[in-house]
PDB file of all heavy atoms in Angstrom:
ATOM      1  N   ASP A 118      78.293 115.781  33.497  1.00  0.00           N
ATOM      2  CA  ASP A 118      79.106 116.694  32.676  1.00  0.00           C
ATOM      3  C   ASP A 118      78.167 117.683  31.989  1.00  0.00           C
ATOM      4  O   ASP A 118      77.343 117.294  31.171  1.00  0.00           O
ATOM      5  CB  ASP A 118      79.880 115.880  31.624  1.00  0.00           C
ATOM      6  CG  ASP A 118      80.662 116.798  30.680  1.00  0.00           C
ATOM      7  OD1 ASP A 118      80.497 118.046  30.750  1.00  0.00           O
ATOM      8  OD2 ASP A 118      81.432 116.261  29.857  1.00  0.00           O
ATOM      9  N   MET A 119      78.279 118.943  32.345  1.00  0.00           N
ATOM     10  CA  MET A 119      77.337 119.953  31.871  1.00  0.00           C
ATOM     11  C   MET A 119      78.015 121.055  31.068  1.00  0.00           C
ATOM     12  O   MET A 119      77.438 122.125  30.896  1.00  0.00           O
ATOM     13  CB  MET A 119      76.614 120.579  33.074  1.00  0.00           C
ATOM     14  CG  MET A 119      75.639 119.643  33.727  1.00  0.00           C
ATOM     15  SD  MET A 119      74.279 119.297  32.582  1.00  0.00           S
ATOM     16  CE  MET A 119      73.236 118.303  33.605  1.00  0.00           C
ATOM     17  N   ASN A 120      79.209 120.809  30.595  1.00  0.00           N
ATOM     18  CA  ASN A 120      79.926 121.910  29.953  1.00  0.00           C
ATOM     19  C   ASN A 120      79.178 122.513  28.769  1.00  0.00           C
ATOM     20  O   ASN A 120      79.194 123.726  28.577  1.00  0.00           O
ATOM     21  CB  ASN A 120      81.339 121.478  29.543  1.00  0.00           C
ATOM     22  CG  ASN A 120      82.320 121.673  30.691  1.00  0.00           C
ATOM     23  OD1 ASN A 120      81.896 121.858  31.829  1.00  0.00           O
ATOM     24  ND2 ASN A 120      83.601 121.647  30.395  1.00  0.00           N
ATOM     25  N   SER A 121      78.490 121.660  27.995  1.00  0.00           N
ATOM     26  CA  SER A 121      77.786 122.234  26.839  1.00  0.00           C
ATOM     27  C   SER A 121      76.588 123.066  27.298  1.00  0.00           C
ATOM     28  O   SER A 121      76.246 124.070  26.665  1.00  0.00           O
ATOM     29  CB  SER A 121      77.361 121.147  25.854  1.00  0.00           C
ATOM     30  OG  SER A 121      76.534 120.235  26.519  1.00  0.00           O
ATOM     31  N   VAL A 122      75.975 122.687  28.414  1.00  0.00           N
ATOM     32  CA  VAL A 122      74.839 123.478  28.915  1.00  0.00           C
ATOM     33  C   VAL A 122      75.333 124.807  29.485  1.00  0.00           C
ATOM     34  O   VAL A 122      74.733 125.864  29.254  1.00  0.00           O
ATOM     35  CB  VAL A 122      74.031 122.700  29.992  1.00  0.00           C
ATOM     36  CG1 VAL A 122      72.800 123.496  30.405  1.00  0.00           C
ATOM     37  CG2 VAL A 122      73.633 121.332  29.486  1.00  0.00           C
ATOM     38  N   TRP A 123      76.448 124.770  30.209  1.00  0.00           N
ATOM     39  CA  TRP A 123      77.041 126.047  30.675  1.00  0.00           C
ATOM     40  C   TRP A 123      77.260 126.976  29.487  1.00  0.00           C
ATOM     41  O   TRP A 123      76.926 128.154  29.514  1.00  0.00           O
ATOM     42  CB  TRP A 123      78.397 125.807  31.346  1.00  0.00           C
ATOM     43  CG  TRP A 123      78.429 125.256  32.734  1.00  0.00           C
ATOM     44  CD1 TRP A 123      79.022 124.079  33.127  1.00  0.00           C
ATOM     45  CD2 TRP A 123      77.913 125.852  33.947  1.00  0.00           C
ATOM     46  NE1 TRP A 123      78.890 123.909  34.484  1.00  0.00           N
ATOM     47  CE2 TRP A 123      78.220 124.978  35.010  1.00  0.00           C
ATOM     48  CE3 TRP A 123      77.218 127.034  34.217  1.00  0.00           C
ATOM     49  CZ2 TRP A 123      77.862 125.246  36.333  1.00  0.00           C
ATOM     50  CZ3 TRP A 123      76.862 127.305  35.534  1.00  0.00           C
ATOM     51  CH2 TRP A 123      77.182 126.413  36.566  1.00  0.00           C
ATOM     52  N   GLN A 124      77.866 126.399  28.449  1.00  0.00           N
ATOM     53  CA  GLN A 124      78.235 127.220  27.294  1.00  0.00           C
ATOM     54  C   GLN A 124      76.994 127.811  26.623  1.00  0.00           C
ATOM     55  O   GLN A 124      76.942 129.006  26.337  1.00  0.00           O
ATOM     56  CB  GLN A 124      79.031 126.363  26.298  1.00  0.00           C
ATOM     57  CG  GLN A 124      79.624 127.155  25.161  1.00  0.00           C
ATOM     58  CD  GLN A 124      80.635 128.198  25.632  1.00  0.00           C
ATOM     59  OE1 GLN A 124      81.519 127.903  26.435  1.00  0.00           O
ATOM     60  NE2 GLN A 124      80.478 129.432  25.173  1.00  0.00           N
ATOM     61  N   LEU A 125      76.000 126.953  26.418  1.00  0.00           N
ATOM     62  CA  LEU A 125      74.779 127.410  25.729  1.00  0.00           C
ATOM     63  C   LEU A 125      74.011 128.448  26.524  1.00  0.00           C
ATOM     64  O   LEU A 125      73.477 129.398  25.974  1.00  0.00           O
ATOM     65  CB  LEU A 125      73.846 126.206  25.532  1.00  0.00           C
ATOM     66  CG  LEU A 125      73.961 125.476  24.221  1.00  0.00           C
ATOM     67  CD1 LEU A 125      73.125 124.191  24.269  1.00  0.00           C
ATOM     68  CD2 LEU A 125      73.452 126.384  23.094  1.00  0.00           C
ATOM     69  N   THR A 126      73.932 128.264  27.846  1.00  0.00           N
ATOM     70  CA  THR A 126      73.053 129.119  28.650  1.00  0.00           C
ATOM     71  C   THR A 126      73.763 130.368  29.151  1.00  0.00           C
ATOM     72  O   THR A 126      73.153 131.424  29.244  1.00  0.00           O
ATOM     73  CB  THR A 126      72.488 128.345  29.851  1.00  0.00           C
ATOM     74  OG1 THR A 126      73.582 127.770  30.581  1.00  0.00           O
ATOM     75  CG2 THR A 126      71.528 127.259  29.402  1.00  0.00           C
ATOM     76  N   LEU A 127      75.041 130.258  29.510  1.00  0.00           N
ATOM     77  CA  LEU A 127      75.744 131.403  30.108  1.00  0.00           C
ATOM     78  C   LEU A 127      76.923 131.864  29.261  1.00  0.00           C
ATOM     79  O   LEU A 127      77.609 132.811  29.643  1.00  0.00           O
ATOM     80  CB  LEU A 127      76.235 131.065  31.519  1.00  0.00           C
ATOM     81  CG  LEU A 127      75.153 130.752  32.566  1.00  0.00           C
ATOM     82  CD1 LEU A 127      75.779 130.642  33.951  1.00  0.00           C
ATOM     83  CD2 LEU A 127      74.073 131.818  32.572  1.00  0.00           C
ATOM     84  N   ASN A 128      77.172 131.187  28.150  1.00  0.00           N
ATOM     85  CA  ASN A 128      78.318 131.533  27.321  1.00  0.00           C
ATOM     86  C   ASN A 128      79.608 131.522  28.143  1.00  0.00           C
ATOM     87  O   ASN A 128      80.462 132.382  28.030  1.00  0.00           O
ATOM     88  CB  ASN A 128      78.091 132.907  26.662  1.00  0.00           C
ATOM     89  CG  ASN A 128      79.072 133.150  25.541  1.00  0.00           C
ATOM     90  OD1 ASN A 128      79.591 132.203  24.952  1.00  0.00           O
ATOM     91  ND2 ASN A 128      79.362 134.418  25.269  1.00  0.00           N
ATOM     92  N   TRP A 129      79.699 130.537  29.002  1.00  0.00           N
ATOM     93  CA  TRP A 129      80.826 130.392  29.938  1.00  0.00           C
ATOM     94  C   TRP A 129      80.948 128.911  30.229  1.00  0.00           C
ATOM     95  O   TRP A 129      79.952 128.189  30.189  1.00  0.00           O
ATOM     96  CB  TRP A 129      80.495 131.156  31.235  1.00  0.00           C
ATOM     97  CG  TRP A 129      81.492 130.954  32.342  1.00  0.00           C
ATOM     98  CD1 TRP A 129      82.634 131.657  32.546  1.00  0.00           C
ATOM     99  CD2 TRP A 129      81.429 129.974  33.392  1.00  0.00           C
ATOM    100  NE1 TRP A 129      83.292 131.176  33.648  1.00  0.00           N
ATOM    101  CE2 TRP A 129      82.576 130.149  34.184  1.00  0.00           C
ATOM    102  CE3 TRP A 129      80.532 128.949  33.731  1.00  0.00           C
ATOM    103  CZ2 TRP A 129      82.858 129.352  35.309  1.00  0.00           C
ATOM    104  CZ3 TRP A 129      80.805 128.165  34.847  1.00  0.00           C
ATOM    105  CH2 TRP A 129      81.952 128.372  35.620  1.00  0.00           C
ATOM    106  N   TRP A 165      73.337 120.409  40.745  1.00  0.00           N
ATOM    107  CA  TRP A 165      73.959 121.175  39.659  1.00  0.00           C
ATOM    108  C   TRP A 165      73.078 122.361  39.272  1.00  0.00           C
ATOM    109  O   TRP A 165      73.556 123.498  39.155  1.00  0.00           O
ATOM    110  CB  TRP A 165      74.215 120.276  38.429  1.00  0.00           C
ATOM    111  CG  TRP A 165      74.819 121.079  37.325  1.00  0.00           C
ATOM    112  CD1 TRP A 165      76.135 121.384  37.162  1.00  0.00           C
ATOM    113  CD2 TRP A 165      74.114 121.766  36.276  1.00  0.00           C
ATOM    114  NE1 TRP A 165      76.307 122.223  36.078  1.00  0.00           N
ATOM    115  CE2 TRP A 165      75.077 122.469  35.517  1.00  0.00           C
ATOM    116  CE3 TRP A 165      72.776 121.860  35.903  1.00  0.00           C
ATOM    117  CZ2 TRP A 165      74.741 123.243  34.403  1.00  0.00           C
ATOM    118  CZ3 TRP A 165      72.436 122.640  34.804  1.00  0.00           C
ATOM    119  CH2 TRP A 165      73.417 123.324  34.064  1.00  0.00           C
ATOM    120  N   TRP A 170      74.313 126.076  38.919  1.00  0.00           N
ATOM    121  CA  TRP A 170      73.879 126.920  37.792  1.00  0.00           C
ATOM    122  C   TRP A 170      73.139 128.157  38.291  1.00  0.00           C
ATOM    123  O   TRP A 170      73.434 129.283  37.871  1.00  0.00           O
ATOM    124  CB  TRP A 170      72.998 126.118  36.816  1.00  0.00           C
ATOM    125  CG  TRP A 170      72.684 126.887  35.565  1.00  0.00           C
ATOM    126  CD1 TRP A 170      73.431 126.914  34.426  1.00  0.00           C
ATOM    127  CD2 TRP A 170      71.576 127.771  35.357  1.00  0.00           C
ATOM    128  NE1 TRP A 170      72.849 127.766  33.498  1.00  0.00           N
ATOM    129  CE2 TRP A 170      71.707 128.305  34.049  1.00  0.00           C
ATOM    130  CE3 TRP A 170      70.485 128.166  36.137  1.00  0.00           C
ATOM    131  CZ2 TRP A 170      70.794 129.210  33.509  1.00  0.00           C
ATOM    132  CZ3 TRP A 170      69.574 129.064  35.605  1.00  0.00           C
ATOM    133  CH2 TRP A 170      69.728 129.574  34.300  1.00  0.00           C
ATOM    134  N   PRO A 320      67.797 125.466  33.316  1.00  0.00           N
ATOM    135  CA  PRO A 320      67.942 124.651  32.102  1.00  0.00           C
ATOM    136  C   PRO A 320      67.437 123.212  32.203  1.00  0.00           C
ATOM    137  O   PRO A 320      67.162 122.613  31.170  1.00  0.00           O
ATOM    138  CB  PRO A 320      69.454 124.671  31.841  1.00  0.00           C
ATOM    139  CG  PRO A 320      70.086 125.096  33.101  1.00  0.00           C
ATOM    140  CD  PRO A 320      69.079 125.901  33.857  1.00  0.00           C
ATOM    141  N   LEU A 321      67.322 122.640  33.383  1.00  0.00           N
ATOM    142  CA  LEU A 321      66.899 121.233  33.452  1.00  0.00           C
ATOM    143  C   LEU A 321      65.420 121.095  33.778  1.00  0.00           C
ATOM    144  O   LEU A 321      64.694 120.369  33.122  1.00  0.00           O
ATOM    145  CB  LEU A 321      67.734 120.458  34.479  1.00  0.00           C
ATOM    146  CG  LEU A 321      69.246 120.438  34.234  1.00  0.00           C
ATOM    147  CD1 LEU A 321      69.960 119.587  35.266  1.00  0.00           C
ATOM    148  CD2 LEU A 321      69.568 119.940  32.829  1.00  0.00           C
TER     149      LEU A 321
END
Side-chain angles (χ1 to χ4, degrees):
D118 176 353
M119 289 294 184
N120 273 15
S121 58
V122 185
W123 283 120
Q124 188 62 48
L125 267 172
T126 54
L127 297 188
N128 194 25
W129 173 87
W165 179 84
W170 187 89
L321 301 183

